[in-house]
Amino acid sequence: MLNTTVLCRHISETDGFYLGVKGKIMRPNHHQFEAFAYVVREGSFSAAAVRLGVTQSTITQHIANLEKGVGTLLLLRGRYGVELTPTGQDFYDLADRMVALSAEVTDRLEGFNAMKEGRLKIIGNAPQPALRIIARFQRRFPDIRVDFGLYDWTTAKSMIGNRLADVGLITDAPDHEHWEKIHIESARFVIYCRCDHSFAKRAKISLAELAQETVIVPEKGSLTRRLLDQACDRYGISFNRVATMTTFPLMCEAVLQGIGVALFLQNSSLIKNNLCEIGIEEMPEARNTSLIATKDRTRLKLVSEFINAAIE
């Protein structure tokens, strides 16, 4: 186990961070930081206890001692999980970096032969190419547990920024000095319609031609919705009927059921039967999907192997 004093000194010297209670210098121990980091990442005390292989009361005690040392609440407990306080957000960044540093040391001590167990949390704003990369990674490392979450673009970007996932597959991801950003693929937005639709044999279509259609779009916060709204504002286009749905498979099912036409990135799914993709005149630009991870996490064996699976 990594020496707690060394870790605390590293964080203090790097960030100028100490815990002060009535003028006395206090340093949290590694177990408190680790418990706190996993409660935030897992979303609850019970899930963190399972992940770390300890009792829930142990996790509760570690968090209580950490909050006592800080002198304020770090987490708000609610019916639907935990939420960081402003001070908790500052502490979480440090705690997660400590856990990443500890994991990196463990990787090196074990000679990079520890791919028999472990867990990765992957997020994305569209199912492809994330699922394709996950499948490739798990064929190589079947014992590694991979959790995948699909989120709107705004949320996915925020989760990487707040260190709530190991890796993100994000379209139009911004640059950040603390992020590693690796290009994966490029794709344009298209209209999805049934193969028996009057649009089906078209190569391109104008958004203005959808005025009498029910247009199926993702929820607010998605990149698709943001760019569609920008194009409609730019060209003075409006739709009479819009149906908002939460996931691409649901959007595809709605198209197949004859509810309307959907707008999404091309090749977003292996669902192809009876669906056609049509280019959009007002949205011709290719959008880049990139793999995003914080630089300290890219040094971890699990994350580096996932990156290898993504870029091969």
Side-chain angles (χ1 to χ4, degrees):
M1 180 176 293
L2 189 62
N3 184 279
T4 301
T5 303
V6 173
L7 276 171
C8 290
R9 184 181 303 120
H10 171 82
I11 290 177
S12 297
E13 293 172 353
T14 302
D15 303 277
F17 169 71
Y18 288 89
L19 295 177
V21 181
K22 295 182 179 180
K24 182 180 179 182
I25 298 297
M26 301 287 291
R27 290 187 177 89
N29 65 52
H30 176 65
H31 298 297
Q32 293 169 5
F33 265 119
E34 184 178 51
F36 176 57
Y38 278 104
V39 166
V40 177
R41 286 175 67 87
E42 299 298 317
S44 70
F45 283 62
S46 57
V50 171
R51 179 71 187 276
L52 293 173
V54 298
T55 65
Q56 185 172 336
S57 61
T58 298
I59 297 293
T60 301
Q61 183 178 11
H62 284 323
I63 300 300
N65 288 337
L66 183 58
E67 289 181 325
K68 182 179 178 181
V70 177
T72 188
L73 289 177
L74 302 177
L75 295 168
L76 299 176
R77 290 78 159 172
R79 180 180 301 177
Y80 303 105
V82 297
E83 181 180 344
L84 285 167
T85 65
T87 303
Q89 183 62 65
D90 291 338
F91 269 70
Y92 174 68
D93 182 71
L94 294 171
D96 192 62
R97 286 164 57 194
M98 175 179 278
V99 170
L101 178 61
S102 179
E104 182 183 358
V105 171
T106 299
D107 276 351
R108 296 188 183 188
L109 290 176
E110 294 182 0
F112 299 108
N113 292 319
M115 298 298 288
K116 296 295 184 182
E117 60 181 18
R119 183 172 167 186
L120 274 175
K121 185 173 183 180
I122 312 297
I123 62 169
N125 68 300
Q128 294 289 351
L131 295 177
R132 183 175 68 246
I133 298 170
I134 290 170
R136 190 182 303 152
F137 175 82
Q138 291 205 305
R139 284 194 292 270
R140 295 179 181 177
F141 305 104
D143 298 322
I144 302 301
R145 173 178 168 179
V146 177
D147 296 333
F148 175 62
L150 196 59
Y151 299 89
D152 66 76
W153 179 78
T154 302
T155 302
K157 186 163 61 80
S158 176
M159 288 180 71
I160 292 296
N162 292 327
R163 303 178 64 92
L164 296 176
D166 296 303
V167 176
L169 277 300
I170 301 175
T171 306
D172 274 15
D175 295 321
H176 193 289
E177 62 177 329
H178 297 306
W179 293 359
E180 199 71 49
K181 180 178 176 182
I182 301 168
H183 178 264
I184 300 298
E185 66 177 26
S186 299
R188 292 175 173 82
F189 280 99
V190 295
I191 294 295
Y192 286 78
C193 68
R194 283 191 355 181
C195 291
D196 60 357
H197 195 283
S198 59
F199 295 151
K201 294 184 179 180
R202 299 273 298 273
K204 284 189 176 181
I205 193 169
S206 169
L207 292 174
E209 297 178 75
L210 305 179
Q212 302 308 313
E213 298 284 334
T214 296
V215 182
I216 303 166
V217 295
E219 70 275 20
K220 290 283 188 181
S222 68
L223 178 66
T224 303
R225 190 68 172 267
R226 184 171 69 93
L227 295 178
L228 175 62
D229 289 346
Q230 289 177 1
C232 287
D233 289 343
R234 186 182 308 121
Y235 295 99
I237 297 170
S238 61
F239 304 129
N240 293 329
R241 297 186 301 275
V242 175
T244 300
M245 298 189 182
T246 55
T247 66
F248 181 81
L250 183 60
M251 293 170 67
C252 285
E253 181 67 23
V255 173
L256 291 171
Q257 292 291 342
I259 293 175
V261 299
L263 188 144
F264 219 77
L265 285 170
Q266 64 187 149
N267 300 319
S268 289
S269 173
L270 296 179
I271 300 173
K272 297 291 185 181
N273 292 338
N274 301 316
L275 284 177
C276 295
E277 298 180 357
I278 306 168
I280 303 170
E281 292 179 2
E282 293 86 355
M283 302 175 69
E285 300 87 357
R287 321 307 303 198
N288 296 321
T289 295
S290 302
L291 184 151
I292 302 294
T294 57
K295 291 180 179 180
D296 60 338
R297 288 200 168 272
T298 61
R299 297 193 292 267
L300 302 181
K301 182 63 173 175
L302 285 176
V303 175
S304 66
E305 289 293 351
F306 188 84
I307 292 173
N308 291 337
I311 64 179
E312 71 170 18

Coordinates of all heavy atoms in Angstrom, one line a residue, residues 1-3 7 10 30 34 38 95-114 163 166 294-304:
M1 N 0.9 -1.2 0.0 CA 0.0 0.0 0.0 C 0.9 1.2 0.0 O 1.9 1.3 0.6 CB -0.9 0.0 1.2 CG -1.8 1.3 1.3 SD -3.0 1.2 2.7 CE -4.0 -0.2 2.2
L2 N 0.5 2.2 -0.8 CA 1.2 3.5 -0.9 C 1.3 4.2 0.5 O 0.3 4.2 1.2 CB 0.6 4.4 -1.9 CG 1.4 5.6 -2.3 CD1 2.7 5.2 -2.9 CD2 0.6 6.4 -3.3
N3 N 2.4 4.7 0.9 CA 2.6 5.4 2.1 C 1.7 6.6 2.2 O 1.8 7.5 1.3 CB 4.1 5.8 2.3 CG 4.3 6.4 3.6 OD1 4.1 7.6 3.8 ND2 4.8 5.6 4.6
L7 N 1.8 10.4 0.2 CA 0.7 10.8 -0.7 C 0.2 12.2 -0.2 O 0.0 13.1 -1.0 CB -0.5 9.8 -0.6 CG -0.4 8.7 -1.6 CD1 -1.5 7.6 -1.2 CD2 -0.5 9.1 -3.0
H10 N 2.6 14.8 -1.1 CA 2.6 15.1 -2.6 C 1.5 16.0 -2.9 O 1.6 17.0 -3.6 CB 2.4 13.8 -3.3 CG 2.2 14.0 -4.8 ND1 3.2 14.2 -5.7 CD2 1.0 14.0 -5.5 CE1 2.6 14.3 -6.9 NE2 1.3 14.2 -6.8
H30 N -5.1 7.9 3.9 CA -5.5 7.4 2.6 C -6.8 6.8 2.5 O -7.6 6.9 1.6 CB -4.4 6.5 2.1 CG -4.7 5.8 0.8 ND1 -4.7 6.5 -0.4 CD2 -4.9 4.5 0.5 CE1 -5.0 5.7 -1.4 NE2 -5.1 4.5 -0.9
E34 N -9.8 7.6 0.0 CA -10.3 6.5 -0.9 C -11.8 6.3 -0.7 O -12.5 6.2 -1.7 CB -9.5 5.2 -0.6 CG -9.8 4.1 -1.5 CD -9.0 2.9 -1.2 OE1 -9.0 2.4 0.0 OE2 -8.4 2.3 -2.2
Y38 N -14.6 6.9 -3.7 CA -15.5 5.9 -4.2 C -17.0 6.1 -3.9 O -17.8 5.7 -4.7 CB -15.0 4.5 -3.7 CG -13.9 4.0 -4.5 CD1 -12.6 4.0 -4.1 CD2 -14.1 3.5 -5.8 CE1 -11.5 3.5 -4.9 CE2 -13.1 3.0 -6.6 CZ -11.8 3.0 -6.1 OH -10.8 2.6 -6.9
A95 N -9.0 13.9 -3.9 CA -9.2 12.5 -3.5 C -9.1 11.5 -4.6 O -8.4 10.5 -4.6 CB -10.5 12.3 -2.8
D96 N -9.7 11.9 -5.8 CA -9.6 11.0 -6.9 C -8.2 11.0 -7.5 O -7.8 9.9 -8.0 CB -10.6 11.5 -8.0 CG -10.8 10.5 -9.1 OD1 -11.3 9.4 -8.8 OD2 -10.5 10.8 -10.2
R97 N -7.5 12.1 -7.5 CA -6.1 12.1 -7.9 C -5.3 11.2 -7.0 O -4.4 10.5 -7.5 CB -5.6 13.5 -8.0 CG -6.2 14.3 -9.1 CD -5.9 15.8 -8.9 NE -4.5 16.1 -8.8 CZ -4.1 17.3 -8.3 NH1 -5.0 18.2 -8.0 NH2 -2.8 17.6 -8.2
M98 N -5.5 11.2 -5.7 CA -4.8 10.3 -4.8 C -5.0 8.9 -5.1 O -4.1 8.1 -5.2 CB -5.2 10.6 -3.4 CG -4.5 9.7 -2.4 SD -5.0 10.1 -0.7 CE -3.9 11.4 -0.3
V99 N -6.3 8.5 -5.4 CA -6.7 7.1 -5.7 C -6.0 6.7 -7.0 O -5.5 5.6 -7.2 CB -8.2 7.0 -5.8 CG1 -8.5 5.6 -6.4 CG2 -8.8 7.1 -4.4
A100 N -6.0 7.6 -8.0 CA -5.3 7.3 -9.3 C -3.8 7.1 -9.1 O -3.2 6.2 -9.7 CB -5.6 8.4 -10.3
L101 N -3.2 8.0 -8.3 CA -1.8 7.8 -8.0 C -1.5 6.5 -7.3 O -0.5 5.8 -7.6 CB -1.3 9.0 -7.1 CG 0.2 9.0 -6.7 CD1 1.1 9.0 -7.9 CD2 0.5 10.2 -5.8
S102 N -2.3 6.2 -6.3 CA -2.1 4.9 -5.6 C -2.2 3.7 -6.6 O -1.5 2.7 -6.5 CB -3.1 4.8 -4.5 OG -3.0 3.6 -3.8
A103 N -3.2 3.8 -7.5 CA -3.4 2.7 -8.5 C -2.2 2.6 -9.4 O -1.8 1.5 -9.8 CB -4.7 2.9 -9.2
E104 N -1.7 3.7 -9.8 CA -0.5 3.7 -10.7 C 0.7 3.1 -10.0 O 1.4 2.3 -10.6 CB -0.1 5.2 -11.1 CG 1.0 5.2 -12.1 CD 1.4 6.6 -12.4 OE1 0.8 7.6 -12.0 OE2 2.4 6.8 -13.2
V105 N 0.9 3.4 -8.7 CA 2.0 2.7 -8.0 C 1.8 1.2 -7.9 O 2.7 0.4 -8.1 CB 2.1 3.3 -6.6 CG1 3.1 2.5 -5.7 CG2 2.6 4.8 -6.7
T106 N 0.5 0.8 -7.6 CA 0.2 -0.6 -7.6 C 0.5 -1.3 -8.9 O 1.0 -2.4 -9.0 CB -1.3 -0.8 -7.2 OG1 -1.5 -0.2 -5.9 CG2 -1.7 -2.3 -7.1
D107 N 0.1 -0.7 -10.0 CA 0.4 -1.2 -11.3 C 1.9 -1.5 -11.5 O 2.3 -2.6 -12.0 CB 0.0 -0.2 -12.4 CG -1.5 -0.3 -12.8 OD1 -2.2 -1.2 -12.3 OD2 -2.0 0.6 -13.5
R108 N 2.7 -0.5 -11.1 CA 4.1 -0.7 -11.3 C 4.7 -1.8 -10.4 O 5.6 -2.5 -10.8 CB 4.8 0.7 -11.1 CG 4.4 1.7 -12.1 CD 5.2 3.0 -12.0 NE 4.7 3.9 -13.0 CZ 5.3 5.1 -13.2 NH1 6.5 5.4 -12.6 NH2 4.8 5.9 -14.1
L109 N 4.2 -1.8 -9.2 CA 4.7 -2.8 -8.2 C 4.4 -4.2 -8.7 O 5.2 -5.2 -8.5 CB 4.2 -2.6 -6.8 CG 4.7 -1.3 -6.1 CD1 4.0 -1.1 -4.8 CD2 6.2 -1.4 -5.9
E110 N 3.2 -4.4 -9.3 CA 2.8 -5.7 -9.8 C 3.3 -6.0 -11.2 O 2.9 -7.0 -11.8 CB 1.3 -5.8 -9.7 CG 0.7 -5.7 -8.3 CD -0.8 -5.8 -8.2 OE1 -1.4 -6.0 -9.3 OE2 -1.3 -5.8 -7.1
G111 N 4.1 -5.2 -11.7 CA 4.8 -5.5 -13.0 C 3.8 -5.5 -14.2 O 4.0 -6.2 -15.2
F112 N 2.7 -4.7 -14.1 CA 1.7 -4.7 -15.1 C 1.1 -6.0 -15.5 O 0.8 -6.3 -16.6 CB 2.3 -4.0 -16.4 CG 2.8 -2.6 -16.2 CD1 4.2 -2.4 -16.1 CD2 1.9 -1.6 -16.0 CE1 4.6 -1.1 -15.9 CE2 2.4 -0.3 -15.8 CZ 3.7 0.0 -15.7
N113 N 1.0 -6.9 -14.5 CA 0.4 -8.2 -14.7 C -0.9 -8.3 -14.0 O -1.3 -9.4 -13.6 CB 1.4 -9.3 -14.3 CG 2.6 -9.3 -15.2 OD1 2.5 -9.2 -16.4 ND2 3.8 -9.5 -14.6
A114 N -1.5 -7.2 -13.7 CA -2.7 -7.3 -12.8 C -4.0 -7.2 -13.6 O -5.0 -6.7 -13.1 CB -2.7 -6.1 -11.8
R163 N -14.2 14.2 -13.0 CA -13.5 13.0 -12.7 C -14.5 11.9 -12.2 O -14.2 11.1 -11.3 CB -12.4 13.2 -11.7 CG -11.4 14.3 -12.1 CD -10.4 14.5 -11.0 NE -9.6 13.3 -10.8 CZ -8.4 13.1 -11.4 NH1 -7.9 13.9 -12.3 NH2 -7.8 12.0 -11.0
D166 N -13.7 7.0 -15.8 CA -12.3 6.8 -16.2 C -12.1 7.3 -17.6 O -11.0 7.9 -17.9 CB -12.0 5.3 -16.1 CG -12.1 4.8 -14.7 OD1 -11.4 5.3 -13.8 OD2 -12.9 3.8 -14.5
T294 N -8.5 12.0 -18.1 CA -7.6 12.8 -17.5 C -6.2 12.2 -17.6 O -6.0 11.0 -17.6 CB -7.9 13.0 -16.0 OG1 -8.0 11.8 -15.3 CG2 -9.3 13.7 -15.8
K295 N -5.2 13.1 -17.7 CA -3.8 12.6 -18.0 C -3.3 11.6 -17.0 O -2.6 10.7 -17.3 CB -2.9 13.8 -18.2 CG -3.2 14.6 -19.5 CD -2.3 15.8 -19.6 CE -2.6 16.5 -20.9 NZ -1.7 17.7 -21.1
D296 N -3.7 11.9 -15.7 CA -3.1 10.9 -14.7 C -3.8 9.6 -14.8 O -3.1 8.5 -14.5 CB -3.4 11.5 -13.3 CG -4.8 11.7 -12.9 OD1 -5.7 11.9 -13.8 OD2 -5.2 11.8 -11.7
R297 N -5.0 9.5 -15.3 CA -5.6 8.2 -15.5 C -5.1 7.4 -16.7 O -5.2 6.2 -16.8 CB -7.1 8.3 -15.5 CG -7.7 8.6 -14.2 CD -9.2 8.3 -14.0 NE -9.6 8.4 -12.6 CZ -9.5 7.5 -11.7 NH1 -9.1 6.3 -12.1 NH2 -9.9 7.6 -10.5
T298 N -4.6 8.1 -17.7 CA -4.1 7.4 -18.9 C -2.8 6.6 -18.5 O -2.4 5.8 -19.3 CB -3.8 8.4 -20.0 OG1 -2.8 9.3 -19.6 CG2 -5.0 9.2 -20.4
R299 N -2.2 6.9 -17.4 CA -1.0 6.1 -17.0 C -1.4 4.8 -16.3 O -0.5 4.0 -16.1 CB -0.2 7.0 -16.0 CG 0.4 8.2 -16.7 CD 1.5 8.8 -15.8 NE 0.9 9.4 -14.6 CZ 0.6 10.6 -14.4 NH1 0.6 11.5 -15.4 NH2 0.1 11.1 -13.2
L300 N -2.7 4.6 -16.0 CA -3.1 3.4 -15.4 C -3.2 2.3 -16.4 O -3.7 2.5 -17.6 CB -4.5 3.6 -14.7 CG -4.5 4.6 -13.6 CD1 -5.9 4.7 -13.0 CD2 -3.5 4.4 -12.5
K301 N -2.9 1.1 -16.0 CA -2.9 -0.1 -17.0 C -4.2 -0.3 -17.6 O -4.3 -0.5 -18.8 CB -2.4 -1.3 -16.3 CG -2.3 -2.6 -17.1 CD -1.2 -2.4 -18.2 CE -1.0 -3.7 -19.0 NZ -0.1 -3.5 -20.1
L302 N -5.3 -0.3 -16.8 CA -6.6 -0.5 -17.4 C -7.0 0.5 -18.4 O -7.5 0.2 -19.5 CB -7.7 -0.5 -16.3 CG -7.7 -1.7 -15.3 CD1 -8.8 -1.4 -14.2 CD2 -8.1 -3.0 -16.1
V303 N -6.7 1.8 -18.1 CA -7.1 2.8 -19.1 C -6.2 2.8 -20.3 O -6.7 3.0 -21.4 CB -7.0 4.2 -18.4 CG1 -7.3 5.3 -19.4 CG2 -8.0 4.3 -17.2
S304 N -4.9 2.6 -20.1 CA -4.0 2.5 -21.3 C -4.4 1.4 -22.2 O -4.3 1.5 -23.5 CB -2.6 2.4 -20.8 OG -2.3 1.2 -20.2

